[in-house]
Every structure is written in structure tokens, then in C-alpha cells.
Amino acid sequence: MKNYRLLLAGLVLLTLNACTETAINQQAEADKLMELSKAWAKSAKDKNVEEVLSYWADDAILMSPNEASIVGIDSLSAMVERSMKIPGFEITWNPQEAYVSKSGDLGYVIVKNYMTMPIDTLGNTRTIFNKGVEIWKKQADGTWKNAVDITNADPSINSID
């Protein structure tokens, strides 16, 4: 009988604990990630270096085609500053869909992007279309920061709409 009461008390405590957990509205959080990605893309298109950097976590990783991974905000900062100074360079993207985990601490956004860059000293440029995924992590203060950004060339894409 004593074991039965302990078991019953334990079940009651577990039930109460489950009822007090905050439910995550996954769709609302996914919508936030879509808006963050759009704002981030605008800051990149506008060449706003400080704002671009503000979307990355301090330990973020950028993985681009045919390039070594760039790890950490200091390395990312140097790359963004260099890129934005290149005449004719442009990058932007359009988020396609987003998902947030049931726990509400991780999410991802699927994107299409393009990069335009100079190919010679005459000012001629080339545009490359890509597909990518942004992996976002919720921070202790409740904000979302990009933790991993992966892009792959995709010759089948000719628009980011």
C-alpha cells in the first residue's frame, strides 16, 4: 500500500509538471524565422555590415560552395567587410519555408539566394544562384541567432522568387 501511494504521488507530480510546461507555438516561431531571414537579406543587399553581423551567433559557421568554412563572429565580420567592399558584389536571398522544433530552441529556414560578383577588371559580373539552409538557435534572452548557414550552388535555379 505504501508503494502504491508513492507511485500515485509520483504520477501526480509528473502530470502537474507536464501541465506547467510552456507550449511552443511552432508556426508562430517559424514565422518569426521567416521574417528574420527577410530582414537579414535586406541588410545584406543594403550592405549594412553591422546589421548583417547582428543576425549571427558568436560561434556561427558559414559553409559556402568551394570555400573553407568560416567560423566565429570575428572571421565572419572580416569576410563580410571584405565582400561588401568589392565593386559589383551583391548577395541576397528569399526564404522559402521555415520549421521550429517542438522544444522551440532550434529551427531552420530553407532559402534560395544569389551572389553577383565581378569576373574581370572591366566591371563584368557573374550571378550564381544557390539553395541553402539557415539553422537558427534561440538564445538565452529569447532572441534567435543564426548558428549555421549552408549554401550550395544549384544550376536549376534562375530566380530567388
Side-chain angles (χ1 to χ4, degrees), residues 1-2 16 24 38 43 67 78 84 129 145 152 158:
M1 186 69 162
K2 185 177 182 180
L16 289 174
I24 301 299
K38 288 176 187 176
S43 69
E67 298 286 333
M84 298 299 182
F129 291 90
K145 294 282 184 171
N152 296 293
N158 58 17

Side-chain angles (χ1 to χ4, degrees), residues 46-111:
D46 293 345
K47 298 189 177 190
N48 185 333
V49 173
E50 290 303 313
E51 191 174 341
V52 168
L53 294 171
S54 73
Y55 290 92
W56 270 308
D58 288 342
D59 59 350
I61 302 169
L62 173 65
M63 294 182 228
S64 299
N66 304 312
E67 298 286 333
S69 295
I70 301 172
V71 181
I73 199 68
D74 292 337
S75 297
L76 290 164
S77 177
M79 180 274 304
V80 170
E81 288 177 12
R82 271 191 320 273
S83 298
M84 298 299 182
K85 291 178 183 174
I86 298 171
F89 175 82
E90 183 179 332
I91 184 169
T92 195
W93 56 93
N94 191 11
Q96 304 296 301
E97 63 182 279
Y99 174 81
V100 171
S101 66
K102 287 181 182 179
S103 62
D105 59 346
L106 285 174
Y108 64 81
V109 177
I110 303 297
V111 301

